[in-house]
């Protein structure tokens, strides 16, 4: 007879990514930059969602980055802009990280 499968065996493994957020000034205007590096073994979908916009990437290869810079218009200097990065791997398993980025003073 075969041994019984362990509980949770065959369940999808959540993807892994390293996220980085920063506030920047370009041509005197504030931006929020978001980068997510896929540190999983396979391809993942990545969604970068901020209070200033969003961008999705259907297939980010292992070791590759998803990156977008969002113009922060109509938000006061020093205010927080929420940022959420979600990676979705095979079997719809996800990893999500949320943080705030402070809008910079640009001159």
């Amino acid at each position: 007879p075969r041994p019984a499968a362990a509980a949770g065996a065959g369940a999808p493994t959540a993807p892994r990514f390293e996220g980085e957020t920063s506030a920047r000034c370009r041509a005197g205007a504030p931006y929020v930059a978001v980068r997510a590096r896929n540190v999983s073994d396979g391809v993942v979908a990545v969604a970068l969602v901020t209070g200033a916009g969003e961008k999705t990437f259907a297939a980010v290869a292992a070791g590759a980055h998803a990156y977008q810079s969002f113009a922060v218009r109509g938000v006061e200097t020093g205010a927080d802009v929420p940022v959420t990065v979600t990676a979705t791997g095979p079997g719809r398993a996800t990893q999500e990280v949320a943080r705030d980025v402070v809008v910079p003073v640009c001159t």
Side-chain angles (χ1 to χ4, degrees):
R2 288 186 166 167
T13 302
R16 296 182 327 261
F17 67 88
E18 295 172 348
E20 175 186 324
T21 57
S22 61
R24 300 180 177 177
C25 295
R26 292 163 84 190
Y31 282 77
V32 170
V34 184
R35 177 185 315 272
R37 180 173 170 265
N38 179 2
V39 294
S40 299
D41 293 332
V43 175
V44 299
V46 176
L48 309 175
V49 179
T50 74
E54 59 186 69
K55 174 83 175 182
T56 57
F57 301 83
V60 178
H65 293 88
Y67 173 85
Q68 183 66 39
S69 183
F70 300 92
V72 184
R73 294 182 176 91
V75 179
E76 283 187 42
T77 298
D80 290 336
V81 174
V83 175
T84 303
V85 179
T86 305
T88 305
R92 314 257 333 133
T94 62
Q95 177 192 6
E96 180 174 283
V97 174
R99 62 179 64 134
D100 290 334
V101 178
V102 178
V103 176
V105 175
C106 299
T107 56

